[in-house]
Amino acid sequence: MPKNCFLEEWNNHIIAICDNEPVIERYSKKGELIDSFDYSNFKYWNSYKSYLENKQNKDRKEGKVGTGLFCLDSYLKDNHLYLLLSNFDKAAGKEECNHIMEFDIDQNEIEPKKIWKLKNDNGNDSWYYSFCVFDNKIVAYDAFSYEIHEFNLF
């Protein structure tokens, strides 16, 4: 499966966030790989990976080609990297995109810090497609309702 990445500039480095696997890579500005961080221990990754594999096998049998996106958007602010991640909710039996995972970044490592599950106030399903962070808030665009929702970071 091809690897596609979001790119963020940070402190004379390029941070590459893979959209279809739980990998963050740090490059020099010359494009040399410095290090790689695998966050496959993210608690939702295994269920999403199983869901994707089953979906891709079904698609192949039907003659379709499809890939799944695990990371739909990224945002870098100061020394904090935020990723919008999709997952498969086994209990509800559906794919969803409503988790933000925060990482702390320094010169030596990328460390997971916190996960938020974004829930809108109206109780309806939301599929967040993009977001940004400012004033201690996550602001996310809901692709189902065409609305912008705000969530406090603290």
Side-chain angles (χ1 to χ4, degrees):
M1 176 174 353
K3 186 162 109 176
N4 186 43
C5 295
F6 299 102
L7 299 178
E8 302 277 1
E9 190 276 330
W10 177 82
N11 203 18
N12 274 337
H13 293 100
I14 297 168
I15 306 296
I17 302 104
C18 297
D19 70 357
N20 59 355
E21 57 185 69
V23 175
I24 301 169
E25 298 169 327
R26 184 184 345 226
Y27 290 87
S28 72
K29 286 202 170 176
K30 294 180 180 180
E32 300 156 334
L33 180 64
I34 296 169
D35 60 8
S36 182
F37 176 73
D38 178 328
Y39 61 100
S40 59
N41 60 348
F42 169 63
K43 69 180 186 176
Y44 300 106
W45 169 246
N46 285 330
S47 65
Y48 191 66
K49 182 180 175 187
S50 296
Y51 163 75
L52 279 181
E53 288 170 350
N54 289 335
K55 185 177 181 301
Q56 288 169 344
N57 287 336
K58 182 182 173 193
D59 286 350
R60 276 190 211 103
K61 288 177 184 173
E62 295 174 1
K64 300 177 189 173
V65 177
T67 62
L69 298 181
F70 180 55
C71 179
L72 274 77
D73 198 10
S74 66
Y75 193 85
L76 183 62
K77 181 176 172 111
D78 303 321
N79 292 339
H80 303 279
L81 175 65
Y82 302 88
L83 304 182
L84 175 60
L85 303 175
S86 55
N87 71 296
F88 183 74
D89 182 339
K90 285 183 183 179
K94 64 181 180 178
E95 185 179 7
E96 51 187 20
C97 186
N98 58 3
H99 288 78
I100 301 277
M101 189 169 188
E102 178 185 3
F103 297 84
D104 284 340
I105 300 178
D106 67 26
Q107 292 295 335
N108 300 313
E109 65 183 354
I110 298 171
E111 183 177 9
K113 183 177 176 185
K114 188 170 183 175
I115 300 170
W116 289 272
K117 183 171 183 178
L118 307 181
K119 293 187 174 216
N120 66 41
D121 291 334
N122 62 19
N124 295 330
D125 286 343
S126 293
W127 184 278
Y128 294 103
Y129 200 75
S130 61
F131 75 103
C132 63
V133 177
F134 64 90
D135 295 336
N136 294 317
K137 293 181 180 187
I138 295 170
V139 178
Y141 180 76
D142 184 344
F144 288 169
S145 68
Y146 314 121
E147 298 173 336
I148 292 176
H149 298 161
E150 288 186 10
F151 305 92
N152 290 322
L153 285 173
F154 303 104

